[in-house]
Amino acid sequence: EAQVTQNPRYLITVTGKKLTVTCSQNMNHEYMSWYRQDPGLGLRQIYYSMNVEVTDKGDVPEGYKVSRKEKRNFPLILESPSPNQTSLYFCASSPRLAESNEQFFGPGTRLTVL
Amino acid sequence: AQKVTQAQTEISVVEKEDVTLDCVYETRDTTYYLFWYKQPPSGELVFLIRRNSFDEQNEISGRYSWNFQKSTSSFNFTITASQVVDSAVYFCALNSGTYKYIFGTGTRLKVLA
């Protein structure tokens, strides 16, 4: 089944404790992206990756890191989480932009930082 | 700068009523794509439609229809004869052929039985 998976789905952590949210897609998509969803703010793009080893900042990259060492995986790293990073996070993937840019979204990760 | 505005924060309708969700966008690019996504109460994001800037034809899919008007920079979404299962948050999004996507803040639709 074609899908985007995220782990964990739910996470409660404390300020300053490094964490990684994994994202994996099995559709051989070149493009992957991370979003956060907050009430009243919609979805905001954190980082995106056009292909392996190619990443760039979205609109709200502060406090986050990403890497794209393999085509299928795009982990989101919070080196020192803070309470303002409490949010619902979505990973998405898409085929090459020239072909189609509909995004396929993962199920979401609800993160709470105390 | 690119921007997507969904001015309607929440709409409530009674089942079988028609409802239109508004989406106004801003971009200086001549090539761009507009999207609608649905987020039901279960939380996942479901793709509904993509429209490119060169195709202003309206689209109908069952009870759903979309009206794209470049003259007013709008891409509105109408649900005809709404049903309770249509209750969700709906997002409009813009991609200008770069790798950035801009989403609106969403419209929560409540369809009451």
Side-chain angles (χ1 to χ4, degrees):
Chain A
E1 179 189 355
Q3 60 183 349
V4 178
T5 57
Q6 294 178 227
N7 282 292
R9 295 289 313 280
Y10 303 90
L11 179 60
I12 301 174
T13 189
V14 296
T15 299
K17 186 176 181 182
K18 181 180 179 179
L19 66 93
T20 299
V21 184
T22 64
C23 173
S24 182
Q25 50 93 5
N26 61 1
M27 295 169 279
N28 201 36
H29 286 170
E30 292 188 357
Y31 180 90
M32 296 186 74
S33 183
W34 276 102
Y35 297 87
R36 60 178 290 174
Q37 182 179 1
D38 302 290
L41 297 177
L43 281 93
R44 294 178 293 167
Q45 197 168 28
I46 302 171
Y47 268 96
Y48 56 90
S49 170
M50 296 77 88
N51 214 324
V52 176
E53 302 290 4
V54 184
T55 63
D56 206 348
K57 297 177 180 179
D59 288 331
V60 288
E62 296 78 20
Y64 304 95
K65 286 176 59 177
V66 294
S67 67
R68 187 92 181 272
K69 293 182 169 47
E70 306 166 279
K71 199 172 187 178
R72 64 183 292 129
N73 297 322
F74 190 45
L76 179 69
I77 303 158
L78 285 73
E79 295 268 4
S80 183
S82 62
N84 64 12
Q85 292 179 297
T86 292
S87 187
L88 178 59
Y89 291 87
F90 286 99
C91 180
S93 72
S94 177
R96 278 188 301 169
L97 206 62
E99 295 172 358
S100 168
N101 48 6
E102 167 200 344
Q103 292 187 89
F104 296 80
F105 284 86
T109 295
R110 187 165 292 281
L111 172 66
T112 301
V113 183
L114 302 175
Chain B
Q2 299 183 339
K3 188 177 180 181
V4 174
T5 301
Q6 294 181 257
Q8 304 152 309
T9 304
E10 184 169 315
I11 302 174
S12 291
V13 298
V14 177
E15 208 170 18
K16 297 184 183 176
E17 285 186 358
D18 299 346
V19 58
T20 295
L21 310 182
D22 298 332
C23 174
V24 174
Y25 63 93
E26 294 177 27
T27 180
R28 293 181 179 174
D29 296 305
T30 55
T31 300
Y32 54 88
Y33 300 86
L34 295 162
F35 305 82
W36 276 95
Y37 287 86
K38 175 182 180 180
Q39 187 177 43
S42 50
E44 73 272 21
L45 284 155
V46 179
F47 167 79
L48 295 178
I49 190 172
R50 177 184 84 148
R51 174 67 71 220
N52 73 57
S53 53
F54 299 108
D55 182 3
E56 284 193 75
Q57 282 192 347
N58 292 330
E59 180 146 344
I60 298 174
S61 176
R63 296 183 297 105
Y64 294 173
S65 62
W66 290 269
N67 184 318
F68 176 32
Q69 290 196 338
K70 288 176 76 170
S71 60
T72 56
S73 296
S74 65
F75 186 43
N76 297 336
F77 173 29
T78 297
I79 302 175
T80 302
S82 59
Q83 300 176 0
V84 173
V85 293
D86 295 326
S87 297
V89 180
Y90 291 87
F91 291 100
C92 181
L94 167 68
N95 171 254
S96 65
T98 64
Y99 297 99
K100 280 192 172 183
Y101 287 80
I102 306 296
F103 280 75
T105 52
T107 297
R108 181 179 299 278
L109 174 64
K110 293 184 177 180
V111 181
L112 308 172

